[in-house]
Amino acid sequence: MEGFFQCYLSLYRPLISKLNELLSDHGLSYSLWQVIFYLNNNGPSTLVEIANYYNVEKPTITRRVHRLEEMQIIKPIPSEDRREKIIQLTDLGKEIYRTCRIKITDLENHVMEGITKEEQLAAYHIFPKLQENIRKDNERE
């Protein structure tokens, strides 16, 4: 289907801009939200785990984590391995997650207006398959 990726990218940018606007009330951006989201759903984690999940370099996550620590949204927890930093959400971080999650869910519902549940479900299953195909393609290189 020619133009699929162009269509996706034309959706991606405005959506990230809208998310940044929603999150700005809390001094957050979508990139910072990704760390909060991951920790909320996966519990205490290492920076490497988060970097691998989002397929970004560890220094990128380190910068985000440092900012979130300054904001007292996350905190390090003791680890047996001093080379490994484990982080978790603070109580403030959990509260911010809940507040922002409501706003983001409202946005998701608004964006999905007029799209049937079947169409939504199809898209929900397609994107992980695309991610897997991209991962396989990267491994071949």
Side-chain angles (χ1 to χ4, degrees):
M1 174 185 222
E2 192 170 322
F4 176 82
F5 294 118
Q6 181 58 39
C7 185
Y8 169 78
L9 292 173
S10 70
L11 166 70
Y12 178 80
R13 275 285 177 221
L15 182 58
I16 295 301
S17 294
K18 188 67 175 169
L19 286 167
N20 283 333
E21 183 182 314
L22 287 175
L23 295 165
S24 69
D25 291 344
H26 299 281
L28 298 172
S29 63
Y30 178 67
S31 62
L32 295 175
W33 170 254
Q34 288 179 305
V35 176
I36 296 168
F37 180 84
Y38 183 91
L39 292 173
N40 183 77
N41 292 320
N42 296 286
S45 303
T46 67
L47 278 59
V48 171
E49 290 169 332
I50 299 168
N52 289 341
Y53 180 80
Y54 288 113
N55 198 27
V56 297
E57 300 295 323
K58 186 177 173 243
T60 300
I61 296 300
T62 301
R63 287 188 295 275
R64 294 176 189 176
V65 164
H66 181 69
R67 179 71 183 119
L68 291 168
E69 282 179 321
E70 289 174 349
M71 298 171 74
Q72 299 178 341
I73 292 173
I74 63 170
K75 65 181 178 183
I77 58 174
S79 170
E80 292 179 12
D81 185 348
R82 292 182 183 263
R83 296 170 294 171
E84 181 177 71
K85 184 173 186 174
I86 301 175
I87 56 171
Q88 69 180 14
L89 290 175
T90 62
D91 289 340
L92 173 63
K94 291 174 186 176
E95 181 57 34
I96 288 173
Y97 173 85
R98 285 188 292 271
T99 302
C100 291
R101 184 67 254 178
I102 291 168
K103 292 178 181 181
I104 291 170
T105 299
D106 288 345
L107 174 63
E108 288 173 344
N109 290 333
H110 177 70
V111 169
M112 292 295 199
E113 284 179 11
I115 301 171
T116 67
K117 293 291 181 193
E118 292 80 18
E119 290 170 324
Q120 292 178 35
L121 193 57
Y124 187 80
H125 290 291
I126 288 169
F127 287 116
K129 291 177 183 179
L130 292 171
Q131 287 176 317
E132 180 63 17
N133 289 343
I134 291 169
R135 185 192 60 75
K136 287 178 185 176
D137 190 57
N138 287 340
E139 287 176 356
R140 281 189 276 169
E141 292 177 355

